[in-house]
């Protein structure tokens, strides 16, 4: 099938194929057998700037769009399922922030959101931060028709998170979890 790939897509897919064939594939069975996290594969992704794949160019990332990301992720999955699955959760943390641009926000919400987007993207671009997605809650989620119950309340020291997450696709020892919760008494965003 001919996807009429652009030059950026071709280059990135070739890069991922090279990483997959030369590194990811050989490690995949170990990660599966040991149920371990593919740290070495993430070091390779970091070294090639792929943690910032979907970070917009104006924030220093590659600015890859969602269809291009899908092609790249599918290519990673050919060589290591664990890497592709967890990479999806990291990349989702960058894509979700771009969706905020399409929401009906007030000027002050847009300004506050911009502060957190810059912080979030800076961590990824400059520090190669890896984000976790601790969003699972028993009985909650879009497919289950029940809203998330975890709450975030603004307090003097920052935010008080109250609730129970039942899982995370990326290890919870990651320094930057991207948490989904309802805000209480706040009409803004917090991505700390």
């Amino acid at each position: 099938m001919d996807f009429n790939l652009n030059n950026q897509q071709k280059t990135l897919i070739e890069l991922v194929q090279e990483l997959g064939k030369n590194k990811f594939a050989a490690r995949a069975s170990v990660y599966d057998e040991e149920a371990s996290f593919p740290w070495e594969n993430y070091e390779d992704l970091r070294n090639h700037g792929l943690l910032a794949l979907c970070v917009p160019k104006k924030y220093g990332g590659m600015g890859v769009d969602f269809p291009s990301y899908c092609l790249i992720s599918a290519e990673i999955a050919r060589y290591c399922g664990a890497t592709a699955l967890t990479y999806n959760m990291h990349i989702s943390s960058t894509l979700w922030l771009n969706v905020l641009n399409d929401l009906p926000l007030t000027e002050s919400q847009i300004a506050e959101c911009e502060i957190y987007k810059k912080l979030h993207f800076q961590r990824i671009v400059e520090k190669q931060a890896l984000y976790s997605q601790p969003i699972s809650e028993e009985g909650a989620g879009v497919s289950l028709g029940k809203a998330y119950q975890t709450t975030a309340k603004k307090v003097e020291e920052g935010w008080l998170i109250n609730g129970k997450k039942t899982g995370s696709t990326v290890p919870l020892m990651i320094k930057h979890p991207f948490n989904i919760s309802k805000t209480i008494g706040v009409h803004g965003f917090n991505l700390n």
Side-chain angles (χ1 to χ4, degrees):
M1 177 178 259
D2 183 11
F3 286 107
N4 296 318
L5 302 176
N6 64 40
N7 288 336
Q8 183 188 40
Q9 291 168 329
K10 289 176 188 175
T11 300
L12 289 169
I13 289 171
E14 287 171 8
L15 170 61
V16 171
Q17 284 175 340
E18 183 180 321
L19 289 172
K21 289 175 186 173
N22 297 327
K23 299 188 177 196
F24 297 175
R27 300 172 185 152
S29 63
V30 174
Y31 300 136
D32 289 345
E33 289 170 12
E34 295 178 357
S36 59
F37 189 78
W39 292 112
E40 297 88 353
N41 291 354
Y42 273 90
E43 195 58 34
D44 293 327
L45 293 170
R46 269 189 188 94
N47 290 338
H48 289 88
L50 293 170
L51 294 184
L53 185 76
C54 294
V55 172
K57 287 181 181 181
K58 80 177 206 176
Y59 299 101
M62 291 184 186
V64 170
D65 62 11
F66 183 69
S68 299
Y69 159 68
C70 291
L71 293 169
I72 294 160
S73 181
E75 199 60 38
I76 292 172
R78 290 179 60 185
Y79 303 100
C80 182
T83 301
L85 176 67
T86 55
Y87 186 62
N88 177 62
M89 299 316 288
H90 167 76
I91 293 297
S92 292
S93 73
T94 63
L95 293 171
W96 287 10
L97 291 176
N98 295 324
V99 172
L100 294 175
N101 297 335
D102 299 329
L103 297 176
L105 303 175
T106 66
E107 289 299 318
S108 66
Q109 288 173 322
I110 291 168
E112 185 176 2
C113 187
E114 185 63 25
I115 291 167
Y116 290 114
K117 283 168 77 171
K118 284 179 183 176
L119 173 66
H120 178 64
F121 292 143
Q122 180 183 28
R123 286 176 181 156
I124 294 169
V125 171
E126 295 177 12
K127 299 176 182 175
Q128 294 84 39
L130 176 60
Y131 274 76
S132 173
Q133 294 277 332
I135 62 174
S136 300
E137 290 185 10
E138 188 175 327
V142 175
S143 63
L144 299 172
K146 181 181 171 190
Y148 291 107
Q149 299 302 303
T150 299
T151 58
K153 182 177 182 181
K154 185 87 167 146
V155 295
E156 188 174 318
E157 299 82 25
W159 290 85
L160 175 63
I161 307 293
N162 188 0
K164 178 181 176 184
K165 299 296 182 181
T166 58
S168 175
T169 303
V170 177
L172 288 176
M173 74 275 271
I174 296 297
K175 191 173 182 178
H176 304 291
F178 194 89
N179 191 8
I180 302 295
S181 58
K182 297 185 291 186
T183 55
I184 299 173
V186 177
H187 301 290
F189 300 94
N190 180 39
L191 302 176
N192 277 337

